[in-house]
Amino acid sequence: MRFHFLALLLATSLANAEVVVIGNPAGPDSISTEEVRDIYLNRSKALPNGQRVTPFELPEGNNARDAFHNEVTGRSNTQLKAFWSQQVFTGKGQPPREVASATIMKSTVSSTPGGIGYIDSSEVDDSVKVLLKP
């Protein structure tokens, strides 16, 4: 019974998080879900305009992170850990740099040429550009 309640609570919190993909104001005006997936799964190193991309990640346990990966990469935290462990071990790449909060995500993305990240839509302000609403 307790497990069902926790599962329902998690599903409700994920449903309430409306995540948007944000970018540096000087970057492209939009990006596709597939392009974001490729960036966050180390398949692409560039934005649609050809600019080198720098992705950023919120910490585990953050509702926006869970919603983002549920909607965009289709991977759980466990799957992401395994994926990035393999990427690092084989020398193919490093995971996106983690930032502690939506506020830090916005300031980091806005000050990084080619920066991309995600936050809850309620956190968006003029410092960043919304590139995608998955």
Side-chain angles (χ1 to χ4, degrees):
M1 179 77 171
R2 184 178 295 168
F3 174 75
H4 293 298
F5 175 74
L6 292 174
L8 180 62
L9 185 63
L10 176 62
T12 302
S13 67
L14 286 178
N16 291 335
E18 184 182 338
V19 174
V20 294
V21 176
I22 58 170
N24 182 284
D29 290 331
S30 65
I31 192 168
S32 72
T33 302
E34 293 76 23
E35 289 167 322
V36 175
R37 180 181 307 117
D38 286 349
I39 289 166
Y40 276 86
L41 294 178
N42 202 32
R43 297 177 192 151
S44 176
K45 305 274 189 218
L47 291 168
N49 65 359
Q51 183 178 27
R52 185 159 179 79
V53 68
T54 304
F56 297 97
E57 185 91 91
L58 289 170
E60 276 187 56
N62 182 292
N63 286 342
R65 176 184 170 130
D66 294 341
F68 171 79
H69 284 292
N70 185 50
E71 294 175 30
V72 176
T73 68
R75 306 242 176 141
S76 68
N77 281 321
T78 302
Q79 291 169 321
L80 286 167
K81 282 181 187 178
F83 171 79
W84 283 111
S85 291
Q86 180 184 36
Q87 293 290 296
V88 170
F89 181 74
T90 59
K92 293 182 179 174
Q94 295 290 319
R97 193 176 102 205
E98 195 171 285
V99 295
S101 68
T103 301
I104 296 171
M105 176 72 81
K106 289 185 293 188
S107 67
T108 304
V109 167
S110 70
S111 65
T112 305
I116 189 172
Y118 55 86
I119 55 175
D120 189 276
S121 62
S122 66
E123 301 280 345
V124 173
D125 62 26
D126 291 342
S127 68
V128 292
K129 185 187 296 186
V130 174
L131 303 177
L132 176 69
K133 295 178 181 180

